Amino acid sequence: MRVLLIEDEPRLAEAVREQVAAAGHAVDVVGRLDDAEAALRAVDYDLVLLDLHLPDGLGLDLLRTLRRAGDTRPVIILTARDQVSDRIAGLNAGADDYLVKPFDLDELSARVAAVARRYGGNPNPLMRLGPLEIDRAARRLTRDGQEVALTRREWAILEQLLQRPGAVVPKERIEETLYAFGSEIESNSVEVHVSRLRKKLGRDAIRTQRGLGYQLALEPRDAPPGQPAPGTASR
């Protein structure tokens, strides 16, 4: 995913950036509302991590502005304000989740992953596609029962394809997911990463649609007895 972190405390911002990036996401960091607004206009972010108290205003005002404009991208609030009334105000303004500082970085990663799955239309972290079994929460992939190691960028591409099963994901979308501001993008970088991922998943796992993008070509398969089917949650 491409993530925008809006946080003005440098040490916390760097810790959060490193944690989220370690999970395979590209992270841009800004410390002011005006910079955040400019970034949101320029990039189609998948997720916003939002501090409430910023040097030039309140993050809650930015959130309300986004929702009034019809912006539905997920937002997780990160704040030191721990009153129940503050949480209610944040959720009522349109936040998808709310973490109180100081928070555990692993918990943040879990919440980021959960929000991403929910917005991708499949809250179940376990998926079975063709010969693949994918645990998106644990970032574990097996092919025909054999574990397959993916790089962070390969996971990022796979996540994009999993969020839109059967749909064509534009090359530009994958570029935005892979690279944060300041990163140099070579003309064939996406093709190289997709080619490496295809070798690991199977030659026919990813279909190239010339001039359009890439498409996950594997069909869901039934779960073993006693386990939930792909894309469904157990009761």
Side-chain angles (χ1 to χ4, degrees), residues 11 40 46 54 83 88 99 154 157 164 174 182 195 208 220 223:
R11 291 180 63 183
L40 288 165
D46 299 289
L54 296 159
Q83 297 297 312
I88 292 173
L99 269 176
E154 288 165 355
I157 294 172
R164 301 163 178 82
I174 295 176
S195 176
T208 301

Side-chain angles (χ1 to χ4, degrees), residues 13 41 63 70 73 79 90 97 100 115 129 138-139 149 151 175 190 228:
R41 287 192 297 268
L63 177 56
R73 80 188 84 200
T79 181
D97 207 342
V100 176
V115 168
L129 301 169
R139 287 191 168 258
T151 67
E175 285 179 341
V190 171

Side-chain angles (χ1 to χ4, degrees), residues 36 49 51 72 98 105 108 128 134 177 179 211 215 217-219:
L49 303 177
D51 184 20
T72 60
Y98 194 110
L105 290 172
L108 171 63
R128 296 177 179 87
I134 306 163
T177 300
Y179 299 98
Q215 179 183 33
L218 297 174
E219 293 294 328

Side-chain angles (χ1 to χ4, degrees), residues 165-199:
V168 177
V169 180
K171 175 185 174 182
E172 294 76 15
R173 180 67 173 168
I174 295 176
E175 285 179 341
E176 286 190 355
T177 300
L178 290 177
Y179 299 98
F181 289 147
S183 297
E184 183 177 350
I185 304 176
E186 298 180 4
S187 59
N188 67 336
S189 290
V190 171
E191 288 85 352
V192 169
H193 288 298
V194 169
S195 176
R196 291 172 180 168
L197 179 60
R198 184 182 279 122
K199 289 178 181 178

Side-chain angles (χ1 to χ4, degrees), residues 16 20 49 78 99 103-113:
V16 171
V20 177
L49 303 177
L78 311 177
L99 269 176
F103 49 80
D104 185 88
L105 290 172
D106 288 334
E107 181 181 1
L108 171 63
S109 292
R111 294 190 183 218
V112 166

